Amino acid sequence: MHITADRGRCVGAAQCVLVAPAVFDQDEEGLVAPLTVDPAGADRPAVRQAVHLCPSSAIRIDEE
């Protein structure tokens, strides 16, 4: 799994941070700041949920 975060689309809702705090953070502007782009296996379900909950579709994952 590989994460791509589009900061231009991010609205700062922080749903990703709430669901997957080991993978996502927010920067000083309140925008998504991935802590890793290749999350560990245990974090992957939370990452998928974060993608689903993101109101601006700013997070994408590549499962390959």
Side-chain angles (χ1 to χ4, degrees), residues 2-25:
H2 183 81
I3 299 170
T4 303
D6 184 346
R7 294 173 42 80
R9 292 185 69 126
C10 181
V11 295
Q15 295 301 304
C16 56
V17 178
L18 293 172
V19 173
V23 179
F24 298 104
D25 199 359

Side-chain angles (χ1 to χ4, degrees), residues 6-58:
D6 184 346
R7 294 173 42 80
R9 292 185 69 126
C10 181
V11 295
Q15 295 301 304
C16 56
V17 178
L18 293 172
V19 173
V23 179
F24 298 104
D25 199 359
Q26 288 179 289
D27 66 8
E28 60 279 347
E29 297 173 2
L31 301 177
V32 63
L35 300 173
T36 179
V37 293
D38 299 306
D43 293 322
R44 291 178 180 186
V47 170
R48 287 185 191 94
Q49 186 177 10
V51 169
H52 176 72
L53 292 174
C54 181
S56 62
S57 300

